[in-house]
Amino acid sequence: MTRGPIDLHTHSSVSDGTETPTQLIRAAVEAGLDTVAITDHDSTAGWDEALTAAAGTGLQVIRGIELSTRHEWRSVHLLGYLFDPHDPVILRETARTRDDRLNRAERMVARLAEDFDITWDDVLAQSGGTTIGRPHIADALVARGVVPTRSAAFESILHFRGGYYLPHEAPTVLDGVRMIAEAGGAPVLAHPATRGREAVVDGADLGRLVDAGLVGLEVGHRENTPEGQARLLELAAQYNLVVTGSSDYHGEGKPNRLAENTTTPDALERLIAATRGVEPVRV
Ligand code: AMP
Ligand code: ZN
Ligand code: FE
Ligand code: FE
């Protein structure tokens, strides 16, 4: 019996959410969730604090991650659930991504500093210190009064066509799927249809991900287009993939609210059945 909504995609201040893992868990309890997954970008550093905070609340916590990956020239986000966090390949690859994120952010800030009132120290002051990204640059620009909000920064100077954007290194999405699956986890493509009808990985390329162990598609997400969601449901039926829905909550960093999209208990059961890394925790 589930006691409330299931939300499988949230961020804490370990990456670019504005709430600590403890505050995130409190928000999930207040929102009446049955189950929450903590899925920080490229890091599992929030897992332990989240589990401690959830003790005694009855909330079920799914330990997850959102891996930054690439497919051709595109950036692809891959959710991974209930994998072994000590897996050496995951440790090595996520450390590499975090290092290059740091390097990339520093290079972006050097370019921005030529035109705006911003320093690298401003950005470090906004980061929780684990996974750095454009949101922390945005928060530094807000603190300096250059832009009114984080979202306004993303729509202008931090946009990938805004003139200051630089990419960072990341594994291919195929390697990402292999990595999560081999560590006993369930890989799920995050918000895979944000640009019209076509999925970010479609056709034969998606077939290859399925062969490598892809378990699901995040269909319910505010950034997937309506035509895109229809396409994703076709693909999920074709490849027998689990369909999830989630908020992608970032605290005050994004308008997304907990449980604005949810996953069914049956889908969660299928997802868990595909794993052998770590167990969901409810205490
Ligand atoms: P990056 O990975 O460093 O290129 O930054 C992109 C990330 O910023 C994505 O994971 C988004 O979820 C995140 N993000 C956080 N807050 C916002 C926002 N207000 N608008 C757009 N993206 C945001
Ligand atoms: Zn994010
Ligand atoms: Fe994402
Ligand atoms: Fe996310």
Side-chain angles (χ1 to χ4, degrees), residues 11 15-16 41 66 135 248 250 254:
H11 296 270
S15 61
D16 57 359
H41 298 282
E66 186 174 17
D248 203 358
H250 283 70
K254 264 188 156 183

Side-chain angles (χ1 to χ4, degrees), residues 202-271:
D202 208 313
D205 289 334
L206 183 63
R208 279 189 273 279
L209 296 191
V210 174
D211 291 341
L214 186 73
V215 169
L217 299 175
E218 187 184 55
V219 178
H221 186 290
R222 67 156 69 200
E223 286 162 35
N224 286 332
T225 63
E227 320 87 83
Q229 296 199 13
R231 173 69 183 146
L232 293 174
L233 289 175
E234 289 171 13
L235 291 168
Q238 181 183 343
Y239 292 105
N240 191 28
L241 293 168
V242 177
V243 170
T244 70
S246 303
S247 66
D248 203 358
Y249 179 71
H250 283 70
E252 295 312 306
K254 264 188 156 183
N256 310 31
R257 293 299 91 194
L258 285 169
E260 66 174 33
N261 282 291
T262 59
T263 298
T264 66
D266 284 353
L268 177 59
E269 213 171 287
R270 275 186 70 194
L271 207 67

